[in-house]
């Protein structure tokens, strides 16, 4: 308000969206990245990993959507503490352009967040519909007219190459996903090993198409369940020791553990269907919807990120 | 930047989305309205009508998406001039909270914007796909975590009751549309008359469902074309002289000339499909998508707004 008490509205803001790039060389064009994380639990390793990302943090905005329940309150408190430290007293080059935390207004559909409970087949539809709505709400409210890329990272992704953003962008694809693995210790040999984690990145199969063709309109196909063998080709199993980390493969479904998207794909309308869309839901439905918008998805079989192991 | 040249990022912003209301009494709750207009041409009467809206302008944000072509440049210049006048020197109560203009980065799919050319059946799919992308882009980049309502108004809607926002909100519906008419002069009698304009608000029919069932996956149903008689019940024809302006009817498809939406419907993921979605596209596809999200659409047969007559 001015001194005479009058309300002085801000001047009109103009955006020339055709000058905005999402290129193989985002740094050169000073492209802005929006990192989006639906967060039910806070992991220190996730935060540490974010801080190490080499892409200039002043070009990165972080946004979180966190459930409004007891776990969510605890996660918010932890996150807020790390943010304050980084943004106020941390090294200048670690500070992000801006950070948004949204507390979500709907309940988590499952009573327990344990890995076993989360992955039960009968829980998938409700759970992934809720996840879709959380992702959409976060996306619709934080994507701006000058965002070049959206990088989705789950809060339990605890290890990525520090050049993740530059590496993924360099492929210049509308949608691209790394291969998501999980480290674990062999029970018997006590050896450190790793195994594939995210089964939502895949190439379609005739068997899956036939299954879909015989389903009710609201039924969804799920991946990684013996009861529903789809014989899709999973990105998870395309990994080869010593394979080229730059090798690309076409995908029909993508996972959201780490998922890089040119912002225009979302702006054209691609979201995470919270309903059966061609018998797909959430991130897998997103890839299908993007396809219908003329945007293709790719995976990097030999470029890995790691999921937390409970 | 601080005096020592250090970058001082803004503090983290928190949003408690469960405290946000979209109620029958928006004024009481000081709910914010986002008015969205895809704009190819500027009409003085549209702007005059906006200025007269009685809902407090300090709770209204306006956002426009305008094609990046010659017509769009002219429209932008006119709009900018009116904005400057209103926001800087106009009466305080006419000033809006904020205004955003986006110039869009894709070409209009038609060479001519004449009413005849726009309404040719063979032009509908490409035209409405382009309109969908324009609407999505505007929506995804301007919807915020504290928006309560989204009011879509086309730039050629030149007359509405000045209590439009209060009236539509008072029905407390997820999605609600007024009845869109057009004033004209009878060629022979020179009498002032009016006729229905927007045929995209309708109740579905078995014939339309049968037509859809026999279509290719990418084909769309269109309304208002003799070549494709759908026998749907059109909101346009439900108007009755002296009818109750508060009368509500259920709808399966909605038009976008004037369209009021609780912001959560969009945040959950409802957008304007630029592809055939259950053989529907754009605003009609939006109603169907919202339905799949559990959100119903309503129309007001006897509450009218008016479209420009070329
Ligand atoms: N906002 C929100 N985030 C959630 C919810 N449930 C899980 N998440 C987060 O969403 C991401 C994916 O969920 P997760 O349970 O790890 O999926 P999984 O690894 O596929 O079993 C993680 O970042 C979770 O922290 C929820 O109900 N609301
Ligand atoms: N941004 C944008 N707006 C458009 C374009 N074409 C039309 N519009 C606007 O979109 C709205 C609907 O278009 P209009 O041609 O009036 O549709 P009709 O009344 O159904 O024939 C109006 O506000 C137009 O000014 C376009 O290519 N880009
Ligand atoms: Mn996880
Ligand atoms: Mn029009």
């Amino acid at each position: 308000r001015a001194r005479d008490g009058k309300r002085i509205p801000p001047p009109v803001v103009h955006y020339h969206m055709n000058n905005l790039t999402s290129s193989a060389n985002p740094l050169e064009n000073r492209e802005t990245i929006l990192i989006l994380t639906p967060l039910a639990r806070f992991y220190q390793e996730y935060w540490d990993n974010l801080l190490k990302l080499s892409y200039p943090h002043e070009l990165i905005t972080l946004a979180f959507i966190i459930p409004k329940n007891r776990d969510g309150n605890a996660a918010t408190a932890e996150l807020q503490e790390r943010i304050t430290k980084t943004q106020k007293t941390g090294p200048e080059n670690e500070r992000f352009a801006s950070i948004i935390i949204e507390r979500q207004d709907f309940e988590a559909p499952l009573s327990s967040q344990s890995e076993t409970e989360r992955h039960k087949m009968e829980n998938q539809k409700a759970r992934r519909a809720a996840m879709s709505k959380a992702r959409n709400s976060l996306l619709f409210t934080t994507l701006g007219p000058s965002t070049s890329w959206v990088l989705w990272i789950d809060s339990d992704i605890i290890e990525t190459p520090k050049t993740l953003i530059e590496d993924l962008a360099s492929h210049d694809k509308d949608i691209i996903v790394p291969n998501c693995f999980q480290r674990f210790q062999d029970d018997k040999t006590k050896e450190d090993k790793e195994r594939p984690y995210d089964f939502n990145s895949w190439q379609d199969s005739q068997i899956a198409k036939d299954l879909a063709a015989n389903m009710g309109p609201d039924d969804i196909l799920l991946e990684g369940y013996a009861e529903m063998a789809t014989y899709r080709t999973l990105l998870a199993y395309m990994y080869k020791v010593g394979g080229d980390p730059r090798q690309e493969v076409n995908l029909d479904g993508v996972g959201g553990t780490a998922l890089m998207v040119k912002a225009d794909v979302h702006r054209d309308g691609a979201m995470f269907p919270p309903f059966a869309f061609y018998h797909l839901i959430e991130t897998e439905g997103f890839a299908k919807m993007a396809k219908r918008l003329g945007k293709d998805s790719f995976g990097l079989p030999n470029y890995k990120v790691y999921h937390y192991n409970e």
Side-chain angles (χ1 to χ4, degrees), chain A residues 38-40 65 67 104 118-119 127 131 154-156 197 307:
Chain A
L39 184 148
I65 190 158
Q104 90 190 135
R118 262 159 38 211
H119 292 177
R127 175 168 171 269
M131 282 305 307
D154 279 352
S155 71
D156 43 17
Y197 183 84
H307 188 277

Side-chain angles (χ1 to χ4, degrees), chain A residues 30-94:
Chain A
R30 294 197 58 79
E31 292 169 12
T32 55
I33 321 286
L34 176 63
I35 297 186
L36 296 182
T37 299
L39 184 148
R41 292 186 188 174
F42 177 81
Y43 294 94
Q44 183 61 46
E45 299 91 329
Y46 158 86
W47 186 254
D48 293 339
N49 186 67
L50 273 196
L51 289 187
K52 278 185 234 140
L53 290 180
S54 56
Y55 197 75
H57 289 200
E58 69 197 59
L59 298 174
I60 298 177
T61 287
L62 307 180
F64 303 87
I65 190 158
I66 308 181
K68 189 92 197 158
N69 56 21
R70 203 195 306 179
D71 279 1
N73 293 349
T76 306
E78 291 220 67
L79 176 63
Q80 177 63 57
E81 199 218 298
R82 304 313 186 285
I83 290 174
T84 307
K85 212 159 107 187
T86 302
Q87 299 293 85
K88 293 220 168 125
T89 60
E92 202 190 343
N93 66 359
E94 283 188 356

Side-chain angles (χ1 to χ4, degrees), chain A residues 184-186 189-194:
Chain A
F184 71 104
Q185 206 183 41
D186 191 295
T189 66
K190 302 294 166 202
E191 266 180 300
D192 288 334
K193 291 192 171 168
E194 50 183 71

Side-chain angles (χ1 to χ4, degrees), chain A residues 181-298:
Chain A
F181 275 60
Q182 184 177 50
R183 298 189 190 277
F184 71 104
Q185 206 183 41
D186 191 295
D187 271 352
K188 288 185 191 145
T189 66
K190 302 294 166 202
E191 266 180 300
D192 288 334
K193 291 192 171 168
E194 50 183 71
R195 60 189 165 211
Y197 183 84
D198 189 344
F199 295 142
N200 293 335
S201 295
W202 41 257
Q203 297 173 332
D204 214 353
S205 70
Q206 192 53 49
I207 291 179
K209 285 180 193 163
D210 294 344
L211 280 173
N214 292 308
M215 279 179 153
D218 290 338
D219 290 342
I220 56 169
L221 285 165
L222 295 167
E223 194 46 68
Y225 293 87
E227 309 91 295
M228 193 191 272
T230 63
Y231 297 93
R232 288 166 176 157
T233 307
L234 303 188
L235 180 66
Y237 297 133
M238 291 187 205
Y239 167 71
K240 285 211 181 65
V241 183
D244 179 4
R246 293 197 56 82
Q247 187 200 337
E248 302 167 353
V249 298
N250 265 94
L251 293 178
D252 300 300
V254 299
T257 50
L259 165 63
M260 182 87 154
V261 183
K262 290 195 181 187
D264 270 346
V265 177
H266 285 311
R267 277 192 289 256
D268 279 356
M271 49 80 177
F272 301 92
F275 44 76
F277 183 73
Y278 293 80
H279 304 288
L280 301 172
I281 199 166
E282 209 210 352
T283 55
E284 297 166 288
F286 161 74
K288 179 69 184 176
M289 194 174 281
K291 188 83 156 198
R292 299 233 41 208
L293 288 162
K295 313 288 190 178
D296 293 327
S297 299
F298 293 85

